[in-house]
Amino acid sequence: MKQTYLVFLLLFSVFARFPLAAQPNKTGRSKKTTPDPVAQFDRYVQQAVRDWQVPGMTVTVVKDGRILFKKGYGVRVLGKPEPVDTQTLFAMASTTKAMTAACLGMLVDEGKLHWDDPVTDYLPDFQLYDPAVTRELRVRDLLIHDTGVGNADFLWAAMQIPSDEILHRMRLVKPVYSFRSSFIYQNIMYLAAGKVVEKVSGMPWELFIRKRIFEPLAMSRTCAMFREVTDANRAKPHIELNDTIRLVDSRQEEGLVDAVGPAGSVWTCPDDIAAWMQCMLDSGRYNGKTLLKPATWAELFKPQTFVTDSQFYPTQQLTRPVWKTYGLGWFQHDYRGHRVNFHTGSLTGMIAIHGQLPDEKLAVYVQGNLDHAELRHAIMYRAFDEFGLGTPRDWSAEFRQLYGSIKQRAKLAQQKADSARVPNTKPSLPMLAYVGSYSSPLYGKAEVTLQDGSLRVSVNKVMTGKLAHWHYDTFRFIYDQFWNGNDPVSFVLNTQGKVGKLVWGGIELDKAPDNSGKGVAER
């Protein structure tokens, strides 16, 4: 009996160390092995890129301090053969903001500033519309979208003025809510944050970020400004217009963001961004280097304010977070019982998203070259499911359906607006009466001319196009920059029955007096 028992133990130990091969089932075929999650994720992304018709995309995943996945998909330019790879440069857009916040954190670590210092201690000439807000504004406020100022992107997206002039004009922007009472996304405050970096460090933001982030992390291909992007291996932006994907081939358009660089001008690639992802997961450390003290790193991810805009991310209609906050350069919400830190980036024809699932030491970064390709959200949540939480959900299919519905509602709304057109009307005055210069101390200048019997307009020499008559004194601004589509422009007559204002997207520009008595001649 004792010998039989010993033989049993010996056989058990042998089979425990050397498991039996997969046994055939009743059909004679071997049982399936567990699928490789990385290969499964790769297949999922490949199909999703095709389904969303994104010309090119990159996906990088890091977990537990190592690169788990890094790959390029598609092409840099639609219709051309050059493929996207892990060195292809894409815009980081607003995912740059986390880097700008980290730059300030480094100066906090050095004792050169504090998060709650008054902004005017460093930028004494910076003023907002309300003097009380100017006085109370703190460095922290520049990063958390709570200043009371609404969207002022016109100052860089439709103008070409120096960054100092952009900040100077902020004193003319009226608030749209009370200071620290709500949340409206604001890019220009990050420009001010970059100016604080420059004032305190003695070097421009674009040099500071290179010296203190790119170089320590060996991000050799990363560019702080678009004007630095000269490498042929870069993606170009695309936009879908009337169900057709078109290339936006305009360096002027791409370069506008440099005026507010700290808000979103960095370009990078998977080979570089993986280091930043690992650093932000690991308490500001990377490869033996420490970029931030642990307490400062933790402050970046500490909730600073509530995100009160329920429509900011339509994807949350399906992910259904219970809470939504904003840290220092990071959105935050709950997902399947875990905290998510993330930020999207969007420029004309380019997208990005950086997401973290800290509990699982997991991060994902996605970049693409199609305007507002919300596939980025689907890939982020799929990566969280696949590599962290299990039970993957087909977010790509669900978000495609969601955004398909949003797109359809937008089409119906446009059709309804178009149906309100009153037929067979004429402008109040002869076409020549609308010709002239229109200006605003805040919004700049629009020049209206008459060419070949039709009105044309140039706004700050950035946006140009034809003014096609719609009804009465309202025209349609059909942009030469096709990616902008078209917008209504109305002319308002003054009490003398002459053209007094041009109104465009809620912006009012006053017509300059015509001292010549002849107007501007038709050309």
Side-chain angles (χ1 to χ4, degrees):
M1 182 68 181
K2 186 175 181 180
Q3 289 179 331
T4 303
Y5 180 68
L6 290 173
V7 170
F8 172 78
L9 287 178
L10 179 61
L11 290 172
F12 179 81
S13 66
V14 170
F15 288 128
R17 291 180 63 195
F18 304 100
L20 293 173
Q23 296 298 306
N25 57 26
K26 293 180 180 180
T27 63
R29 297 175 181 171
S30 297
K31 294 180 181 179
K32 292 182 179 179
T33 58
T34 303
D36 175 11
V38 173
Q40 188 168 275
F41 179 72
D42 183 25
R43 288 192 295 270
Y44 185 84
V45 174
Q46 287 184 51
Q47 184 60 52
V49 169
R50 287 193 293 267
D51 291 343
W52 288 74
Q53 298 182 331
V54 180
M57 180 167 278
T58 67
V59 180
T60 308
V61 180
V62 301
K63 182 176 172 62
D64 296 325
R66 66 184 184 91
I67 299 171
L68 188 64
F69 184 82
K70 184 174 62 172
K71 188 174 179 180
Y73 299 87
V75 293
R76 305 172 209 165
V77 180
L78 190 64
K80 294 189 176 182
E82 290 80 12
V84 172
D85 57 35
T86 59
Q87 290 210 333
T88 303
L89 294 171
F90 283 79
M92 284 185 67
S94 284
T95 63
T96 299
K97 289 181 170 65
M99 290 184 168
T100 297
C103 289
L104 284 172
M106 293 171 188
L107 296 172
V108 169
D109 284 345
E110 294 169 4
K112 295 179 179 178
L113 65 80
H114 299 91
W115 295 115
D116 294 313
D117 286 344
V119 173
T120 51
D121 283 359
Y122 307 104
L123 305 178
D125 294 331
F126 182 58
Q127 298 179 33
L128 297 180
Y129 188 86
D130 185 339
V133 176
T134 300
R135 184 177 61 250
E136 296 300 324
L137 192 70
R138 299 299 187 254
V139 172
R140 186 187 307 273
D141 293 310
L142 298 177
L143 305 178
I144 61 177
H145 314 286
D146 70 344
T147 61
V149 179
N151 189 318
D153 286 345
F154 184 96
L155 290 172
W156 62 271
M159 307 183 82
Q160 287 184 303
I161 57 177
S163 57
D164 287 339
E165 178 62 19
I166 291 174
L167 292 181
H168 181 78
R169 295 193 188 194
M170 289 300 288
R171 67 193 65 195
L172 303 175
V173 180
K174 294 181 180 180
V176 296
Y177 65 96
S178 299
F179 184 41
R180 296 180 185 152
S181 70
S182 189
F183 178 98
I184 292 184
Y185 194 78
Q186 231 300 324
N187 281 305
I188 295 175
M189 293 303 164
Y190 270 80
L191 168 61
K195 292 295 184 180
V196 171
V197 170
E198 179 176 347
K199 180 71 173 182
V200 174
S201 70
M203 65 179 78
W205 168 85
E206 59 269 28
L207 180 57
F208 187 92
I209 197 173
R210 174 165 298 284
K211 294 290 185 182
R212 301 295 295 273
I213 295 181
F214 302 165
E215 290 180 5
L217 299 183
M219 299 173 69
S220 60
R221 288 185 55 73
T222 301
C223 302
M225 296 286 203
F226 173 72
R227 63 174 177 261
E228 300 170 5
V229 179
T230 57
D231 196 306
N233 189 4
R234 56 147 297 201
K236 288 194 174 182
H238 299 76
I239 191 167
E240 182 182 332
L241 195 64
N242 299 324
D243 300 319
T244 300
I245 296 174
R246 298 178 62 181
L247 171 68
V248 179
D249 197 6
S250 170
R251 283 195 68 91
Q252 182 192 42
E253 177 69 20
E254 292 181 279
L256 291 172
V257 71
D258 282 358
V260 288
S265 64
V266 174
W267 280 62
T268 192
C269 64
D271 283 354
D272 280 8
I273 201 63
W276 170 247
M277 296 165 68
Q278 290 170 290
C279 180
M280 286 297 97
L281 274 178
D282 190 19
S283 304
R285 299 173 298 183
Y286 176 75
N287 199 25
K289 302 181 181 73
T290 299
L291 269 66
L292 293 162
K293 292 180 179 178
T296 302
W297 172 84
E299 188 70 21
L300 298 179
F301 295 101
K302 178 182 175 182
Q304 306 285 331
T305 188
F306 289 105
V307 176
T308 55
D309 186 347
S310 61
Q311 301 301 314
F312 197 85
Y313 286 115
T315 52
Q316 293 177 352
Q317 296 174 31
L318 299 181
T319 58
R320 298 182 181 278
V322 176
W323 55 269
K324 297 179 292 181
T325 57
Y326 196 87
L328 300 179
W330 296 87
F331 284 94
Q332 300 160 317
H333 67 255
D334 59 292
Y335 174 65
R336 296 179 61 181
H338 297 262
R339 184 181 72 173
V340 169
N341 302 313
F342 79 105
H343 211 293
T344 52
S346 302
L347 291 171
T348 300
M350 303 290 278
I351 59 95
I353 193 168
H354 185 181
Q356 293 184 337
L357 200 64
D359 291 350
E360 298 294 327
K361 300 188 186 311
L362 173 65
V364 58
Y365 196 92
V366 179
Q367 293 177 287
N369 60 353
L370 179 63
D371 197 79
H372 282 86
E374 303 308 339
L375 167 61
R376 56 184 166 179
H377 292 272
I379 292 174
M380 180 182 75
Y381 290 117
R382 180 71 178 206
F384 292 163
D385 292 347
E386 194 80 65
F387 304 120
L389 305 178
T391 317
R393 185 168 166 179
D394 190 358
W395 287 114
S396 175
E398 293 189 47
F399 288 162
R400 279 182 66 217
Q401 184 176 6
L402 171 68
Y403 279 95
S405 298
I406 292 172
K407 183 178 178 180
Q408 184 59 32
R409 289 197 297 272
K411 285 184 177 181
L412 292 174
Q414 185 60 56
Q415 290 172 7
K416 183 178 180 180
D418 291 348
S419 69
R421 182 182 189 183
V422 180
N424 304 316
T425 66
K426 294 181 179 180
S428 300
L429 301 171
M431 285 294 189
L432 197 60
Y434 300 89
V435 170
S437 295
Y438 300 76
S439 63
S440 156
L442 174 58
Y443 299 113
K445 182 181 290 188
E447 295 284 351
V448 177
T449 58
L450 189 62
Q451 297 180 22
D452 300 324
S454 297
L455 292 178
R456 286 188 59 81
V457 63
S458 171
V459 180
N460 296 317
K461 299 181 180 179
V462 172
M463 295 180 173
T464 61
K466 179 181 178 181
L467 291 178
H469 184 250
W470 188 248
H471 61 204
Y472 302 114
D473 288 326
T474 297
F475 294 72
R476 278 288 173 91
F477 187 172
I478 303 172
Y479 296 92
D480 296 331
Q481 300 76 25
F482 68 86
W483 48 90
N484 292 319
N486 63 79
D487 284 311
V489 169
S490 296
F491 293 91
V492 179
L493 305 189
N494 59 26
T495 54
Q496 286 77 42
K498 297 180 179 181
V499 178
K501 294 180 183 292
L502 180 153
V503 181
W504 167 49
I507 293 170
E508 292 189 359
L509 303 173
D510 295 321
K511 191 173 188 292
D514 179 12
N515 297 321
S516 69
K518 297 180 180 180
V520 180
E522 180 174 350
R523 290 181 289 175

